[in-house]
Amino acid sequence: MALNKGYNYQSAADQAENLLQSIKDKSGAVIRVAITPRTMIELPASLTPEEIEMWVANYKKLHASKI
C-alpha cells in the first residue's frame, strides 16, 4: 500500500521555509537597516527616513540588552 497517493509530503523545515518565502513575497520591497554590525532589521522600502528612525529607536528600546 503506497503512502503518498498524490500527496506532497514536506518536512516541517520545508513547510516553514515555504511559509517564510510566501510572506516575504507578499510583503513587497524591503530595505535592511543596520542596528549594529551584527544586527539588521528588514523594513518596508516605502517608509520615510523619519519612520525608519522611529522603527530603529523602537527596536533599540525593546532590545536594549542585545545591543
Side-chain angles (χ1 to χ4, degrees):
M1 183 170 154
L3 290 177
N4 66 353
K5 290 187 174 186
Y7 295 110
N8 184 11
Y9 291 104
Q10 294 181 329
S11 69
D14 289 339
Q15 289 176 353
E17 187 174 329
N18 289 340
L19 179 61
L20 180 60
Q21 187 61 42
S22 156
I23 291 170
K24 283 186 173 186
D25 291 343
K26 291 178 184 176
S27 69
V30 295
I31 58 171
R32 290 185 178 167
V33 179
I35 304 295
T36 68
R38 295 182 60 188
T39 305
M40 299 181 104
I41 58 173
E42 289 186 348
L43 298 173
S46 61
L47 294 178
T48 65
E50 294 81 20
E51 291 172 320
I52 292 171
E53 287 300 319
M54 288 173 47
W55 276 90
V56 170
N58 190 44
Y59 181 91
K60 287 180 177 180
K61 182 177 80 173
L62 293 173
H63 300 92
S65 64
K66 296 180 183 178
I67 296 176

